[in-house]
Amino acid sequence: MHTEPYSVRRITRNGAGVPLERPRPNRAMSKTTADEVTDALTASFATAHPEDAKAGAGVAGKTGTTQDDTAAWYVGTAKSVSTAVVVYRIDLNKSLEPLPLKGISGTPVTDVPYGIWSRAMTPLG
C-alpha cells in the first residue's frame, strides 16, 4: 500500500479537535507482486544479516551502492514501517561532487547505512 506522506496528526482549536483530512492508502501493486517482493527482500535480509534475522521476524531489506561507491543506502521494512537511509559525502569547500565513501568508517561501505537503519528500527522491537 502507498500513502502520501503527511506529518500533521492532530489539529485543535481552543482545545477542541478540528477535522483533519488524511491521505488514503492506495494499492501500489498487486498483492501477489507485493508478496513476491517481500519474500525476496526477507531472504536478502536473512542472507546478509543472519544473526539479526533470527530475532527479526518480519524484517525485509536490501542494501545498495552507486557504481563508484560515492553513495550507499539501505531500504527496509519492519513492523509495517518502511525506511530508507542514504549515506554520501561531499566537501562543500571544494564542490558538490560526491566523494568516495571507502574507508570512512573502517567497515565496508554498505555497513554504514545498515547500521543507522538497524539502530533507528530497534525501538520497534
Side-chain angles (χ1 to χ4, degrees):
M1 300 298 283
H2 169 76
T3 304
E4 282 298 314
Y6 62 97
S7 60
V8 177
R9 300 180 70 74
R10 180 176 54 152
I11 300 174
T12 60
R13 181 172 185 220
N14 297 327
V18 175
L20 174 65
E21 287 188 37
R22 294 184 181 168
R24 295 179 184 220
N26 295 310
R27 181 159 295 283
M29 63 186 76
S30 73
K31 182 173 179 350
T32 301
T33 301
D35 290 344
E36 289 172 359
V37 170
T38 300
D39 289 347
L41 293 177
T42 300
S44 174
F45 178 79
T47 300
H49 310 285
E51 290 302 313
D52 294 341
K54 291 177 187 174
V59 178
K62 182 77 175 89
T63 191
T65 62
T66 55
Q67 190 170 3
D68 57 359
D69 286 336
T70 56
W73 56 88
Y74 191 85
V75 178
T77 186
K79 307 280 185 192
S80 299
V81 175
S82 297
T83 14
V85 174
V86 180
V87 177
Y88 61 95
R89 182 171 71 111
I90 58 175
D91 183 345
L92 292 174
N93 293 320
K94 294 183 180 180
S95 77
L96 293 177
E97 289 295 316
L99 301 169
L101 294 172
K102 184 177 180 178
I104 64 166
S105 68
T107 63
V109 170
T110 55
D111 287 359
V112 175
Y114 173 72
I116 296 168
W117 182 89
S118 178
R119 288 187 300 277
M121 298 299 275
T122 297
L124 297 177

